[in-house]
Amino acid sequence: MTRTRLWTVWLRRLAWYMAAWSPLVLVFAMLIGASSGETARSAINAALTTVIWAAVLGLGVIWLAQQWSWPVRPTARFFLVHAGMALLYAALWDAFILLGVRQSVASWELVGKEVAAWLHWQTFEGVLIYATLCGVTWARQSAARGRAQESRLAHIEAERARAELEALRGRLDPHFLFNTLHSVTVLIQHDPVSAAQAVERLSALLRYVLDSRQGGQEEVLLADEVAFTDAYLALELLRLGARLRVDRDFSAEALRHRVPSFVVQSLVENAIKHSIAPRAAGGVVRLRGHVTGAQLVLEVSDDGPGQPASDATHGMGVGLSALRQRMAVLYGDTARVDVRAVPGDGFGVWVHLPI
C-alpha cells in the first residue's frame, strides 16, 4: 500500500470516528441549552468543545484497549488496570472541561460553583464512555479474529481439496490400467484397428489427467468432463463388453457450464466398480446433465443391487467423499450432493451446482 493510499485510509477512518461522536454532541447541546437557556448555536459550540476532548482522549483509550485486549480468562488485575484507566480518562476529560469554563469566568472559585451541580455526573459519563470505547474495540478485535480464523479454515480446506484433487489426478485405478493394457494386447492379435483406437483413447485419458489446463484445473467445462468420461467408458467396454451398458443424456445448455473436474468420471468409476463389474449380468449406468432453474443438475446412477440407506456412502471412496469436500470449498452451501440408495433398485448420485 502506497503512502498516499495509507493516508487516505487513515483519514477516512478518522472521519468516521469523529462522526460517531455526533449523537453525543447533540445530547450535550440539548442538555446545555435546557439548563442554561443559551441559544442553539451557543449550546452546540459548547457541546463541541466538551465532546472534542472526549474524542481526542478516546484515541488513547482505543490504543490501550488494543494493547490490553479482553483475555480468554479475565483476571482481577485486568479489571483493576482498566478501572484505574477509566477514572484517569474521566479525570482528564473533567480537567479540560474545567479549563474551558475557567476562560469564561473570573476565578477558579466561580468555576467550582459553576460545575458543582454536574461535575460528578460528568465523571460518571467519562467512565461510561471509556467502557464503551473498550467494548467496541474488543468487539472489533473479536470479529477480526473470527474472520481470520474463518479465512485460515477456508485456506486449509482449499489446500486439502487441492491435495485430494492431485491425488485423484494421480490415481487411475492400477487394475483399470492393467486390464486396459491386457485388453489392448489381446486386440493387437485379433483386431489391430480396435487396438489402435483403444491406445488413442488411453492416451487421451492420460493427457486429460496430467494436463494442468484440463483435468488439473479445479473446474472444467462439462463438455470436456463428459468427453473424458466417454474415453474412460470406452476402455471399460473393452473389459466388460456387453455387461456394461451406458444411457447418457446431456443437454447442450448443460455442456456449456463449468463443473468440478472428475465430478462425472469418479462417480461413474464407483458405479462400475460397486454395481456393474461384480455382477455376471452387468448393468446400466445412467448419466444425465440438465439445467434446472439456477442450478446445473448432474446424475450418475445405476440399476445395481443398491444398498441400505445407512450404508449409502460405504465404499464410495474418493469419488463421493472428495466431491462433497470440494463442493463445500468451491461453492459453500449453494451446492449439494444427494444420494439415493434403495436395496434392489440401484444406487444414484445427484450433484446440484450453482450457475
Side-chain angles (χ1 to χ4, degrees):
M1 183 179 295
T2 64
R3 180 173 298 181
T4 302
R5 175 63 176 167
L6 186 62
W7 273 107
T8 302
V9 171
W10 277 108
L11 288 174
R12 186 181 296 116
R13 290 179 179 177
L14 183 61
W16 278 108
Y17 173 75
M18 299 306 294
W21 290 88
S22 56
L24 189 60
V25 173
L26 295 177
V27 170
F28 269 77
M30 288 187 292
L31 292 175
I32 293 172
S35 62
S36 64
E38 295 185 16
T39 63
R41 182 175 181 178
S42 298
I44 291 175
N45 287 335
L48 280 172
T49 303
T50 300
V51 174
I52 193 66
W53 290 114
V56 171
L57 293 170
L59 294 173
V61 174
I62 293 173
W63 178 85
L64 181 68
Q66 291 173 340
Q67 304 305 310
W68 284 68
S69 58
W70 188 271
V72 177
R73 294 181 180 179
T75 62
R77 181 171 178 267
F78 172 82
F79 288 112
L80 287 173
V81 168
H82 279 290
M85 296 307 298
L87 292 174
L88 178 60
Y89 171 82
L92 289 173
W93 190 26
D94 289 344
F96 284 114
I97 292 173
L98 292 175
L99 288 173
V101 175
R102 176 65 179 83
Q103 293 177 0
S104 62
V105 298
S107 66
W108 283 104
E109 183 179 353
L110 292 177
V111 170
K113 293 179 180 180
E114 181 79 19
V115 304
W118 49 264
L119 186 61
H120 58 290
W121 288 111
Q122 187 75 33
T123 303
F124 179 68
E125 289 168 0
V127 172
L128 288 182
I129 290 174
Y130 179 93
T132 301
L133 290 171
C134 286
V136 171
T137 301
W138 293 333
R140 286 172 59 86
Q141 285 182 326
S142 178
R145 285 194 295 268
R147 290 192 297 270
Q149 179 68 10
E150 290 178 0
S151 178
R152 284 194 295 271
L153 291 176
H155 179 72
I156 291 172
E157 286 297 321
E159 289 298 321
R160 184 171 66 178
R162 276 193 286 271
E164 289 175 348
L165 176 58
E166 288 301 315
L168 188 61
R169 289 178 60 224
R171 163 209 169 277
L172 273 179
D173 191 339
H175 294 291
F176 163 74
L177 293 174
F178 174 80
N179 291 330
T180 300
L181 292 174
H182 177 73
S183 300
V184 170
T185 301
V186 174
L187 282 174
I188 289 174
Q189 301 174 8
H190 303 284
D191 190 349
V193 175
S194 297
Q197 293 174 346
V199 171
E200 289 178 0
R201 293 192 183 101
L202 181 59
S203 175
L205 197 75
L206 294 175
R207 187 182 305 112
Y208 182 90
V209 171
L210 299 175
D211 190 345
S212 60
R213 294 169 299 177
Q214 293 184 304
Q217 297 180 338
E218 286 282 3
E219 293 181 305
V220 297
L221 288 175
L222 178 59
D224 293 335
E225 176 68 12
V226 170
F228 170 66
T229 304
D230 286 343
Y232 171 81
L233 286 168
L235 293 173
E236 285 285 32
L237 281 168
L238 292 178
R239 176 171 66 99
L240 299 173
R243 294 169 56 206
L244 173 60
R245 298 175 293 280
V246 180
D247 179 10
R248 63 195 299 280
D249 181 19
F250 291 92
S251 70
E253 183 182 4
L255 292 172
R256 291 194 293 267
H257 291 287
R258 300 185 72 83
V259 300
S261 54
F262 302 102
V263 62
V264 177
Q265 185 275 333
S266 60
L267 294 176
V268 168
E269 181 179 348
N270 278 319
I272 293 173
K273 179 178 179 180
H274 296 285
S275 299
I276 308 301
R279 294 188 297 162
V284 177
V285 176
R286 291 180 292 269
L287 287 73
R288 303 281 189 270
H290 299 280
V291 174
T292 303
Q295 286 193 320
L296 171 63
V297 182
L298 305 176
E299 173 193 347
V300 176
S301 59
D302 59 67
D303 63 349
Q307 52 187 315
S310 60
D311 298 330
T313 60
H314 178 71
M316 289 298 289
V318 70
L320 188 56
S321 62
L323 175 61
R324 279 179 164 151
Q325 291 175 356
R326 290 175 62 204
M327 291 278 242
V329 172
L330 291 173
Y331 311 110
D333 58 1
T334 62
R336 74 177 194 273
V337 178
D338 295 334
V339 176
R340 179 186 63 80
V342 180
D345 195 26
F347 186 93
V349 179
W350 282 259
V351 180
H352 299 257
L353 299 171
I355 58 175

